Amino acid sequence: MALDDRKKQILDIVISEYISTGEPVGSKALIERSGLNVSSATIRSEMLELEKMGLLCKPHTSAGRIPSEEGLRLFAKDSINRYSLTEDDLRLLVPAVRASVGLIEAMKDAATRLAEFSGCTVFTASPLYEDGCFTFEVMPAGRKTIAIMAVSASGSVKSVFTRVEKDISVDDAQKLSNILNSVFAGFPVNEINGVRVMLFKDEMNRFCPEYSCVILPVVDLVNSIKSYELCISGGSNLLSYPEFSNIETAREYMQLLDRREDILDELLQTDDDGIDIKIGEDAHLIKTTPTGIISARTKHKIPIIVGVLGPARMNYSKIIAGCKHVILQLREHTDID
């Protein structure tokens, strides 16, 4: 919707103040902060027009205004290129990626730094398979127990432990490793289908029938490395906001952190190579209080998603700049690897 310059300035100030304080903004406070050479009556009239346009709303207990969800969406959209990272910002964010070995470690470090930078909860996600190929190794892991490990080219490890009917010998462990690698190694994990799994089952029944009990754990392992790895940081950050002080909201939020599939489903809706902003009703993860989700995704070499969850009054311009910087650093990290 089209706004004249004065309405846009007033809306920006109201939203900026609300983001900072969480309190409704009155005409007197707005005049003091805006520098507009107009009367209180004119400011009140403009705020009323913005309210009629659905961009501001008036809480029942206050004479001031707060932004509506539609107002916040308009503000957030205009904030994409508004903030420039400072030297302090860069000192905080850059080491998160440059000092890391492997994409998963870089994602964890980036999530930690971005959570500190934003004051919100941060999610990072990427397929565990990274460059697409794994090698496999089987090892004894205790009495009648074996470990089956899938190792990516960058050193990421996913493992599963399973019980067997007898202690496994070194030779049998090597035989199992050879079967796994002959069927799965060298093939991009996202291309491993039911046919290759059936081939693995046939090879096991033919050469190692006494260890057929490992078939299902191996299938589960292959499925797990085809899925996305999700890192969460800043889990306690949101509890410091008044919006999350309500017991019901705090409980819903803490339960959300265990619903990793729901979080991934939300993040995977992010458009490639862009910034996605969801506010209020558009953000489906928390229902008891309005929230905002800022996410960025790139498919340059390996799909990577960065998401920030916070109250609806997030500092959109700053957090968007942080997300763009982190996703670029992670993208460059995949080129180095």
Side-chain angles (χ1 to χ4, degrees):
M1 61 185 68
L3 297 177
D4 60 43
D5 290 343
R6 187 160 67 188
K7 283 187 177 63
K8 188 175 186 308
Q9 184 177 1
I10 290 172
L11 181 64
D12 283 355
I13 294 171
V14 170
I15 295 179
S16 295
E17 285 295 309
Y18 178 68
I19 287 173
S20 177
T21 67
E23 299 293 333
V25 181
S27 57
K28 182 179 179 180
L30 199 151
I31 289 176
E32 291 175 353
R33 290 163 176 77
S34 69
L36 288 171
N37 187 24
V38 295
S39 65
S40 295
T42 299
I43 292 292
R44 286 194 294 270
S45 176
E46 294 282 29
M47 292 175 77
L48 181 60
E49 287 297 314
L50 289 167
E51 188 176 346
K52 290 178 179 179
M53 297 171 71
L55 300 176
L56 295 181
C57 54
K58 185 176 181 179
H60 295 299
T61 58
S62 171
R65 303 305 202 284
I66 64 173
S68 66
E69 290 182 6
E70 189 60 35
L72 285 170
R73 291 187 190 100
L74 181 62
F75 179 84
K77 182 179 179 182
D78 291 340
S79 298
I80 290 180
N81 297 308
R82 185 178 292 183
Y83 185 89
S84 296
L85 295 173
T86 67
E87 291 185 3
D88 287 341
D89 294 336
L90 293 172
R91 276 194 291 269
L92 174 62
L93 293 173
V94 169
V97 175
R98 292 186 177 175
S100 303
V101 177
L103 178 59
I104 301 303
E105 182 184 338
M107 285 168 48
K108 291 178 180 178
D109 289 344
T112 299
R113 298 294 185 120
L114 191 55
E116 182 180 349
F117 170 83
S118 65
C120 296
T121 301
V122 174
F123 311 113
T124 54
S126 182
L128 182 62
Y129 60 77
E130 301 181 13
D131 58 1
C133 298
F134 275 76
T135 56
F136 294 81
E137 184 174 356
V138 177
M139 299 177 57
R143 183 171 176 78
K144 295 184 178 180
T145 304
I146 61 173
I148 307 169
M149 294 174 289
V151 185
S152 74
S154 64
S156 297
V157 179
K158 199 80 170 180
S159 60
V160 64
F161 294 83
T162 188
R163 298 279 293 175
V164 290
E165 294 182 359
K166 63 178 182 178
D167 290 338
I168 191 170
S169 67
V170 173
D171 288 343
D172 282 348
Q174 186 61 55
K175 184 188 295 185
L176 286 173
S177 299
N178 291 342
I179 292 174
L180 281 164
N181 286 312
S182 68
V183 176
F184 297 122
F187 293 90
V189 174
N190 59 329
E191 295 179 11
I192 294 177
N193 53 27
V195 173
R196 192 146 293 280
V197 171
M198 287 300 299
L199 176 60
F200 167 66
K201 292 179 180 179
D202 290 342
E203 291 290 292
M204 287 296 300
N205 290 328
R206 182 180 177 187
F207 296 107
C208 283
E210 68 273 28
Y211 292 108
S212 60
C213 58
V214 308
I215 292 176
L216 287 179
V218 166
V219 171
D220 290 340
L221 176 62
V222 170
N223 287 334
S224 73
I225 60 180
K226 292 171 70 173
S227 65
Y228 274 68
E229 182 83 356
L230 176 68
C231 306
I232 303 176
S233 190
S236 63
N237 284 353
L238 296 193
L239 299 178
S240 65
Y241 290 91
E243 292 90 332
F244 288 80
S245 62
N246 177 280
I247 293 177
E248 184 180 356
T249 300
R251 182 185 297 115
E252 183 188 11
Y253 168 66
M254 296 307 293
Q255 291 172 345
L256 168 68
L257 297 182
D258 290 328
R259 302 197 329 260
R260 301 175 75 89
E261 289 302 319
D262 290 345
I263 295 170
L264 273 173
D265 287 345
E266 185 75 22
L267 295 177
L268 289 171
Q269 296 177 30
T270 306
D271 292 335
D272 292 339
D273 293 321
I275 294 290
D276 189 31
I277 303 169
K278 296 179 180 178
I279 298 172
E281 292 183 355
D282 297 338
H284 305 297
L285 293 179
I286 301 287
K287 297 180 180 178
T288 53
T289 193
T291 58
I293 302 173
I294 299 171
S295 53
R297 178 174 179 166
T298 179
K299 285 187 68 175
H300 170 60
K301 180 179 178 183
I302 301 169
I304 302 170
I305 310 170
V306 172
V308 179
L309 172 67
R313 61 181 182 94
M314 300 164 69
N315 188 338
Y316 289 95
S317 56
K318 178 180 178 180
I319 295 173
I320 288 169
C323 286
K324 290 169 66 176
H325 180 79
V326 165
I327 202 76
L328 179 61
Q329 293 293 307
L330 288 171
R331 176 173 168 168
E332 291 177 354
H333 190 83
T334 64
D335 288 335
I336 295 172
D337 289 345

